Amino acid sequence: MTVTDRIRASAVPAARAELDETLRRILATPSLAAQLLLAAADQLTTSRPEQTLTISGWGRTLARADQRVLSGYPQSIAQHAARRSMCALDAEMWATARTRGEWALCLRAAARTV
């Protein structure tokens, strides 16, 4: 296709390059569900990773990750991301991971699936 308009012809490649870069950046960004799992994993590794993760500790970790990642999004989007992230956790994780550090490894692996 030949563009005959000289003004638009010079702008098209620049706009295309900008669009391509924006698309690359979007595709490289993890989903909100993955970001939620990664934020929880980061918190678990920075705060006593050698200790056993308790149920209350898991709740606090998840609440902080939720606040860090999902605040500012509409409720429906935040809930969908939270559901997707929890569905990524398989039953084996609950049986095998014991310490906060082990949980962090499991969460990082699960984040790659969502």
Side-chain angles (χ1 to χ4, degrees), residues 20-50:
D20 288 347
E21 180 55 33
T22 301
L23 185 58
R24 268 189 228 100
R25 200 173 36 243
I26 289 170
L27 293 174
T29 303
S31 68
L32 286 176
Q35 289 179 42
L36 182 62
L37 293 171
L38 292 172
D42 288 346
Q43 186 174 349
L44 290 173
T45 56
T46 58
S47 176
R48 302 179 316 257
E50 71 287 346

Side-chain angles (χ1 to χ4, degrees), residues 14-92:
R16 174 67 184 222
E18 185 178 324
L19 181 62
D20 288 347
E21 180 55 33
T22 301
L23 185 58
R24 268 189 228 100
R25 200 173 36 243
I26 289 170
L27 293 174
T29 303
S31 68
L32 286 176
Q35 289 179 42
L36 182 62
L37 293 171
L38 292 172
D42 288 346
Q43 186 174 349
L44 290 173
T45 56
T46 58
S47 176
R48 302 179 316 257
E50 71 287 346
Q51 291 188 351
T52 302
L53 181 63
T54 63
I55 292 173
S56 61
W58 169 245
R60 285 190 302 272
T61 298
L62 194 57
R64 287 183 188 128
D66 184 290
Q67 182 182 21
R68 185 172 139 198
V69 174
L70 301 177
S71 63
Y73 285 98
Q75 184 178 5
S76 61
I77 292 173
Q79 285 177 345
H80 180 70
R83 270 190 230 109
R84 283 187 64 215
S85 65
M86 292 303 102
C87 287
L89 305 179
D90 63 9
E92 257 184 61

